[in-house]
Amino acid sequence: MKLCMIGTGYVGLVSGVCFSDLGNEVICVDRDIKKIDNLKKGIIPIYEPGLDELVLKNYKNNRLKFSTNLKEAISQSDIVFICVGTPTKKNGSGADLSQIFNVAREIRSSISKFKIIITKSTVPVTTGDEIEKIISQKVSRKLFSIVSNPEFLREGEAIRDFTYPDRVVIGTSSKRSNTILKNLYAPLISKGAKYINCSRRAAELIKYASNAFLATKITFINELANLCEKLNINIEDISIGMGLDKRIGGRFLRAGPAYGGSCFPKDTKAITTTADKFKTNLSIIKSVIKSNENRSTLLLKRVFEILKNKIKNKKICFLGVTFKANTDDMRDSSCLSMIPSLIKKGAIINYYDPTGEKKEFKNKKNVTFSKDINFAVKYSDLIIIHTEWNDFKSINFKKATINKKVKIFDMRNIYSFTKMKKQKIDYFAIGR
Ligand code: NAD
């Protein structure tokens, strides 16, 4: 099939590449000229394991193309996927849909034969209705069908998640579109993905409900970790003991820093805003948002306790600054609030991240980036393990640091308490 992905970010690029790998002809379009130029040269704009080889393979065999010409790409395609960003509104908590509606206005001037237009972006319930209205102002309804097909991939596991999804959700009441899309996804269905056809509004809500539920699971275990710290109980035992119950499941049940990233913070806010608009109080999700917002302050307090409130001139090393491991995404990472707060108190921050230096901390006073993990930790008073990259899992801290009184705050519970005790390292973890 001939596909066009509008927006070549984490979702548009990964799903575009994977669709091309399944044998479709795909044009990935973006308004960012530099991004498209780079992609044509084989330079991948994001860190995603395995993505570069897959791009190269499909670009070389001509099934994958990159372009900034939206009109041309749409006229050559049967199915158009909208994959642009839906961030939180600048002065509000709802989703900013300006990128979505701009695309809808751009698309409508290029439709002369039947097209399926799909929102893969995460959009609030009734957005599909709005897109349909915008396009139908210029195009006959017979020539297009608006479908919701939310994406559930995770950064860092995106290719695997796209290729072996638990489910494919198609929100449409059009039989024609449903048949075409079931055919498009047939290779994934044959590998075990469940195919769900529901109403467009239901599909839009499934995505928000799923993200809000996962955010709730993380927040639930984070709050329990606070209790475990008071009662001398190991939160890991609780996670295992709960997670083995099939009704609960062990994933997203590991205590750590506040959840971040490009999805959970914005999507939890957006779903509560939608519910408020329809006069429904999603009080559980509202409480999750509040608890998560407090989490970084709470963890900072622990940092202050660990350093006995003597923060001035303390050398603090962050291992990992993205919102989680295996991604370069800094959006809503808890480091974005923790590092500035520590600097304000006089700390000197040095960080190492396997995905390199971050523009968010470039030219910030008292924040430096180390290219080498051993150099990053060498002079530290406190090492904060913020993400759980494999690179951080077997560091010999005794050898790597020159400060004999170095302290470690392991926010991902990577290391064992007993091993650290044996090495006489001052070690602090979460909920243990
Ligand atoms: P992103 O910011 O990485 O990428 C969006 C891209 O769209 C950018 O490259 C931007 O230049 C481009 N764009 C914006 N307007 C355009 C236009 N008019 N024409 C062409 N290109 C345009 O965003 P993302 O992380 O890929 O997320 C996209 C959507 O998918 C969001 O709604 C998000 O919530 C959802 N989603 C994201 C993830 C994830 O892990 N990142 C997972 C599932 C769903």
Side-chain angles (χ1 to χ4, degrees), residues 136-301:
S136 65
Q137 283 164 2
K138 293 261 165 84
V139 183
S140 158
R141 282 178 198 263
K142 283 185 194 151
L143 285 183
F144 71 97
S145 161
I146 306 292
V147 176
S148 167
N149 168 218
E151 183 50 58
F152 299 98
L153 60 78
R154 290 161 300 167
E155 289 171 19
E157 312 268 352
I159 292 171
R160 202 207 146 274
D161 282 354
F162 185 89
T163 319
Y164 299 96
D166 293 332
R167 76 290 206 198
V168 171
V169 175
I170 298 293
T172 183
S173 52
S174 152
K175 278 196 180 135
R176 181 181 182 184
S177 299
N178 188 38
T179 307
I180 295 171
L181 292 173
K182 202 166 186 182
N183 192 20
L184 174 70
Y185 279 108
L188 310 189
I189 298 165
S190 70
K191 281 189 218 149
K194 294 268 182 298
Y195 183 87
I196 300 163
N197 176 214
C198 56
S199 73
R200 192 166 63 205
R201 287 184 176 190
E204 289 169 338
L205 190 55
I206 284 170
K207 173 64 192 178
Y208 277 104
S210 304
N211 274 1
F213 193 81
L214 293 173
T216 304
K217 256 184 124 176
I218 294 172
T219 308
F220 183 90
I221 205 72
N222 280 347
E223 286 200 351
L224 275 183
N226 299 341
L227 180 63
C228 286
E229 280 164 21
K230 300 268 163 64
L231 293 171
N232 198 19
I233 294 171
N234 188 343
I235 189 66
E236 303 288 309
D237 291 338
I238 308 301
S239 296
I240 293 167
M242 282 177 70
L244 285 172
D245 184 329
K246 286 196 179 71
R247 292 168 302 176
I248 299 172
R251 291 161 85 186
F252 288 75
L253 211 56
R254 292 205 57 204
Y259 63 72
S262 66
C263 293
F264 290 176
K266 81 172 173 68
D267 293 348
T268 44
K269 282 184 208 152
I271 190 175
T272 54
T273 307
T274 303
D276 285 346
K277 190 172 141 195
F278 291 97
K279 302 211 170 356
T280 305
N281 184 14
L282 294 182
S283 63
I284 294 175
I285 306 174
K286 282 181 183 169
S287 162
V288 165
I289 295 169
K290 226 180 189 172
S291 175
N292 192 61
E293 282 171 355
N294 289 336
R295 181 112 189 115
S296 295
T297 315
L298 203 133
L299 293 188
L300 267 179
K301 268 192 196 155

